[in-house]
Amino acid sequence: MVKGFDVVKNPQDVSFYAGLLLSSYAICQAITIMYWGPLSDRIGRRPTLLMGLTGDLATFVLFGLSKSYKWAIITRSLNGLFAGNSAVVKSVVAEISDDSNRPRMMALLPLMWNIGAVAGSAIGGLLADPANQYPSIFGRFDILRTYPYLLPCLVGSLTTTFGLVVGLFKLKETLVIEPAVPDVVTQEASIATETTHLVSTAPQQPGEPLPAQSMLSLLTPTSKFVMATNVLMCLAIAMGDQIYPIFAASAPADGGLGFSTRDIGISLSVSSVAVLYLQLVAYPKLAHKYGALTCCQMGLKIMTPFFFAMPFLSLLSSSIENMIAGKTFMRLPMPTDWMSFVGFEYCMLWILLIGLLLVRITGNVLAFTSLNLLVSNIAPSKAMLGTMNSMQQLGTTSMWIAGPLISGTLWSWSIKHSVPFPFNSHFVWILCSCFMAISWRISLKLPSSVNVFASGQTRG
């Protein structure tokens, strides 16, 4: 998409401009994220979600009308303003579930995220510029020639439209305000007299909310460790997700795989099949048996070697390029032509790539789902769930701002300069591995009490 705007003078600068486009979304999300959560604590979850979905739908379609880099930045930024209410969804799920089904319910959130991320990447790769990719089908539609990125945005907006309709007609308010506890005798009135009341005589309003806690009071030592684990994990994932399509599309000589847009979409789609099993079947069983904390630590641990191993696939890709020099390389052929086209090496490249992506998806499911559970578990009350989840989302979004900028800049620098390992094209991946390892080490400091949903405990 960035290449099509003619804003990039040097192909090696694509990653920088792509990172800037992604970061514009995350920056605007971060600006409003601490507004959506507390707003839902005041006016309710349902109206907050409906406002966000409406804005997301409108701005996403506008993004599909991009014909210039400036328009893409503006509309993507507007889209980010309405994305902060994703934290509200976590609050809804926590409120409608109980201890018997909360892991399974929470597993649905990253399942939807992973399906959306993989399907979105595949749709974008397969349907972008359809008039030129599929001229026999879409070539006669002038609007698709004028707006080459409209079709994937329209297809993607169907899910938002569906969510908006369901929210309008089926979603009920889940925020139940707890009645205020009668005030006990204050310190100043501790010296009893004949006219002293044992309890406050002020009438109690049944729907009166409990006094809100400040955000600083939520930052206990345990919550700080949880947030730090989340931030470092999200930084590594954001950097990796940003750099993978760039790494896959870059020439083997620059440390990439030399894939076409179609091949990148296929590689992401294949690994998504495992998400359904992991989220719906495997994770609830693992969380029930080992607890969310152990699952989180397992996920962080297995993602660490994934990042380190990924760039080594470029060596195999370089070997394949040399075998078929002079031909258009790395185009995914029909399965019957694999061996005759590139031989054993090409098949091994795809097997190793899919295997690594499956490891990454498994670790992502275990760690990300568990952290969503842990954040909800440490919220002191249901009235603070929206604020606590917004704090987590703010950290996550901040990393989606920093991650693409860091990885895009480092990738461009590493392939422009002839530097030795580990500062060559491996450098970004090694950083991701280090951040993930540090996140795992911090998670080891968390107490087992984070496995308990504190907001669901009986108030004294």
Side-chain angles (χ1 to χ4, degrees), residues 5 64-68 129-132 138 141-150:
F5 291 142
L65 299 175
S66 299
K67 295 177 64 178
S68 67
D129 197 10
N132 289 321
F138 300 105
F141 297 102
D142 292 337
I143 190 173
L144 297 181
R145 291 188 180 276
T146 305
Y147 304 104
Y149 309 107
L150 178 60

Side-chain angles (χ1 to χ4, degrees), residues 221-235:
T222 297
S223 66
K224 290 178 182 178
F225 283 134
V226 171
M227 295 300 175
T229 300
N230 178 74
V231 162
L232 287 171
M233 179 200 72
C234 289
L235 177 59

Side-chain angles (χ1 to χ4, degrees), residues 282-305:
Y283 180 80
K285 292 181 179 179
L286 291 172
H288 179 74
K289 184 175 182 179
Y290 299 106
L293 177 58
T294 300
C295 288
C296 175
Q297 294 166 345
M298 290 167 55
L300 297 171
K301 195 172 183 178
I302 67 174
M303 277 194 286
T304 300

Side-chain angles (χ1 to χ4, degrees), residues 395-409:
T396 300
T397 302
S398 299
M399 295 306 100
W400 280 104
I401 297 171
L405 289 176
I406 293 172
S407 58
T409 302

Side-chain angles (χ1 to χ4, degrees), residues 20-290:
L20 188 60
L21 181 60
L22 289 175
S23 295
S24 66
Y25 173 89
I27 289 172
C28 289
Q29 185 184 26
I31 291 173
T32 60
I33 202 165
M34 291 308 298
Y35 164 79
W36 291 107
L39 177 67
S40 74
D41 287 337
R42 295 195 303 271
I43 70 172
R45 316 297 188 204
R46 184 177 182 272
T48 307
L49 286 175
L50 294 180
M51 284 190 290
L53 286 171
T54 303
D56 179 76
L57 176 62
T59 54
F60 191 54
V61 174
L62 289 175
F63 179 69
L65 299 175
S66 299
K67 295 177 64 178
S68 67
Y69 187 73
K70 181 179 180 180
W71 179 269
I73 284 282
I74 293 173
T75 54
R76 191 63 174 155
S77 299
L78 290 174
N79 191 236
L81 293 176
F82 294 95
N85 70 350
S86 57
V88 181
V89 177
K90 300 176 187 177
S91 302
V92 172
V93 172
E95 288 166 345
I96 64 175
S97 59
D98 55 38
D99 292 339
S100 67
N101 61 8
R102 188 166 291 110
R104 185 179 296 275
M105 296 288 287
M106 280 292 184
L108 294 175
L109 295 179
L111 172 64
M112 298 299 104
W113 170 264
N114 282 310
I115 291 177
V118 173
S121 299
I123 290 171
L126 295 174
L127 297 184
D129 197 10
N132 289 321
Q133 280 206 83
Y134 313 102
S136 61
I137 302 175
F138 300 105
R140 63 182 183 276
F141 297 102
D142 292 337
I143 190 173
L144 297 181
R145 291 188 180 276
T146 305
Y147 304 104
Y149 309 107
L150 178 60
L151 182 60
C153 288
L154 288 177
V155 173
S157 66
L158 292 177
T159 57
T160 307
T161 303
F162 177 76
L164 184 59
V165 172
V166 171
L168 283 170
F169 296 102
K170 294 294 183 179
L171 180 63
K172 297 181 180 179
E173 182 57 59
T174 63
L175 177 61
V176 178
I177 302 297
E178 299 177 7
V181 179
D183 295 330
V184 297
V185 180
T186 61
Q187 182 67 28
E188 292 77 11
S190 58
I191 302 177
T193 68
E194 291 183 357
T195 60
T196 300
H197 294 283
L198 295 178
V199 296
S200 173
T201 57
Q204 176 187 340
Q205 302 298 324
E208 183 181 350
L210 293 169
Q213 295 179 253
S214 68
M215 294 183 188
L216 289 179
S217 69
L218 297 177
L219 293 177
T220 63
T222 297
S223 66
K224 290 178 182 178
F225 283 134
V226 171
M227 295 300 175
T229 300
N230 178 74
V231 162
L232 287 171
M233 179 200 72
C234 289
L235 177 59
I237 292 176
M239 291 175 63
D241 284 357
Q242 155 71 7
I243 211 62
Y244 172 73
I246 299 171
F247 159 76
S250 297
D254 291 330
L257 300 179
F259 277 12
S260 67
T261 302
R262 173 173 166 262
D263 295 341
I264 296 172
I266 291 174
S267 68
L268 293 172
S269 299
V270 172
S271 61
S272 67
V273 176
V275 173
L276 294 172
Y277 173 78
L278 290 169
Q279 294 280 193
L280 296 178
V281 180
Y283 180 80
K285 292 181 179 179
L286 291 172
H288 179 74
K289 184 175 182 179
Y290 299 106

